[in-house]
Each structure stands twice: as structure tokens, then as C-alpha cells.
């Protein structure tokens, strides 16, 4: 289900996403695909943060979303993240969307769309068990900043390869 703002309001959504963009910059500085994420609880406190570490950890499970969710579950001492929202600079992939749903997050706010790996590419797949529509989705918050950082990263990678 798509909507325009979280319970925190559009201004706070912008602030949280700017914070996620800062984490994407950390990934960029470490030569990782620049994706940042954070989990915000129902009171508006940031309880989990993460940025992409796939290359450094040699693991496809080191996505920013997963790292932020794991940090939040440790902080809460509970795998259930009821009432929490995930802010991430890039549209989550199907793997991350499955985790988001299974973690019982209330919603996801993402910046830039992902035409290669975004969860919406699998919209026709039979994933009814995960009830994707149960998670509220808000897209396009700080999309320009997120997309520009991604473009800059991939331009740098192409120059390096030659």
C-alpha cells in the first residue's frame, strides 16, 4: 500500500532519509555500492543503522537494510519490529523485502527506484505468503540525492575498469 507520509510527517521523513543518505556516503567512501538505511521506532527514535558492506564482508546478506534491521532487533531484543519504519536510499530487493515483511515493519520509505533489483520487479511472482501489501511503502524521498550518489559511484567504477 502506497501513501505520502509516515506517522512522523513529511518533514521528519525528509530528515530521516537525509540521515540514511549520510550512511550511503559511508558505503561510498569504502568503495561499496552507496546504500544507507535506518530503522525508526514508533516514538521516532533511530534504533538501527546500516550501510552496504557486501564487498567488505563478501556476503550478499550485507545489504544496508539487513544490517539496519539486525541492529534494531538487537537494540529491542526482539525480532519483531512492530510499529517501526525502515528508511533506505534505494528501493529494496526481494530478499530485503522478505525480511522487512517477516520482521513486521510497518513500512518502508525509499529514495531512488532500483530498475535492476527492486522488489517491484517481482510483482507478478506468487509471494502471497509474505503479504507484501501489508507493508506500507513511501517512495521518492530524497530520491535525487540517492540517485546522484549511485550514479557517481558507478561512473567511478567504470573509469577504474577502463
Amino acid at each position: 500500500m502506497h501513501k505520502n507520509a509516515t506517522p512522523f510527517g513529511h518533514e521528519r521523513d525528509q530528515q530521516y532519509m537525509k540521515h540514511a543518505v549520510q550512511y550511503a556516503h559511508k558505503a561510498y567512501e569504502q568503495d561499496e555500492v552507496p546504500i544507507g538505511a535506518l530503522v525508526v521506532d514508533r516514538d521516532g527514535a533511530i534504533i538501527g543503522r546500516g550501510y552496504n558492506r557486501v564487498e567488505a564482508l563478501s556476503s550478499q546478506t550485507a545489504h544496508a537494510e539487513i544490517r539496519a534491521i539486525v541492529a534494531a532487533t538487537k537494540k529491542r531484543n526482539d525480532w519483531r519490529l512492530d510499529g517501526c519504519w525502515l528508511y533506505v536510499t534505494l528501493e529494496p530487493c526481494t530478499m530485503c523485502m522478505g525480511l522487512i515483511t517477516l520482521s513486521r515493519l510497518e513500512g518502508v520509505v525509499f529514495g531512488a527506484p532500483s530498475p535492476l533489483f527492486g522488489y517491484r520487479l517481482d510483482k507478478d511472482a506468487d509471494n502471497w505468503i509474505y503479504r507484501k501489501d501489508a507493508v506500507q511503502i513511501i517512495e521518492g524521498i530524497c530520491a535525487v540525492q540517492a540517485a546522484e550518489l549511485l550514479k557517481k559511484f558507478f561512473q567511478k567504477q567504470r573509469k577504474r575498469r577502463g
Side-chain angles (χ1 to χ4, degrees):
M1 171 188 346
H2 290 265
K3 40 188 280 190
N4 294 328
T6 67
F8 312 116
H10 189 71
E11 275 186 43
R12 297 252 332 253
D13 290 344
Q14 293 272 338
Q15 291 172 352
Y16 291 133
M17 189 58 80
K18 286 178 184 172
H19 195 68
V21 169
Q22 290 173 345
Y23 275 85
H25 278 281
K26 287 184 180 206
Y28 180 88
E29 291 164 6
Q30 295 177 28
D31 230 13
E32 296 276 358
V33 176
I35 302 167
L38 52 99
V39 175
V40 177
D41 73 11
R42 65 175 35 117
D43 298 322
I46 297 172
I47 60 169
R49 297 168 177 85
Y51 57 90
N52 207 25
R53 300 282 290 149
V54 171
E55 298 299 331
L57 300 176
S58 297
S59 175
Q60 61 277 42
T61 63
H63 286 195
E65 301 95 321
I66 293 173
R67 294 171 50 81
I69 289 169
V70 167
T73 60
K74 285 182 181 174
K75 175 105 175 164
R76 268 200 168 179
N77 200 25
D78 189 354
W79 63 269
R80 295 169 196 87
L81 295 174
D82 296 305
C84 295
W85 283 79
L86 176 77
Y87 290 77
V88 61
T89 57
L90 185 67
E91 176 185 357
C93 69
T94 299
M95 173 180 69
C96 290
M97 201 59 181
L99 178 62
I100 289 162
T101 305
L102 293 171
S103 299
R104 303 196 177 145
L105 283 152
E106 187 170 330
V108 176
V109 178
F110 71 84
S114 177
L116 293 177
F117 299 108
Y119 79 93
R120 291 179 294 185
L121 297 173
D122 295 325
K123 70 181 180 332
D124 296 327
D126 189 9
N127 290 328
W128 61 269
I129 191 164
Y130 294 116
R131 297 179 26 225
K132 281 188 202 172
D133 351 339
V135 176
Q136 297 176 52
I137 308 290
I138 298 170
E139 59 188 275
I141 306 290
C142 296
V144 172
Q145 297 94 316
E148 284 176 356
L149 187 57
L150 285 160
K151 285 177 191 167
K152 182 177 170 184
F153 174 80
F154 287 113
Q155 286 171 349
K156 182 174 91 172
Q157 294 297 312
R158 282 191 291 278
K159 281 182 187 174
R160 214 182 262 170
R161 292 183 185 133

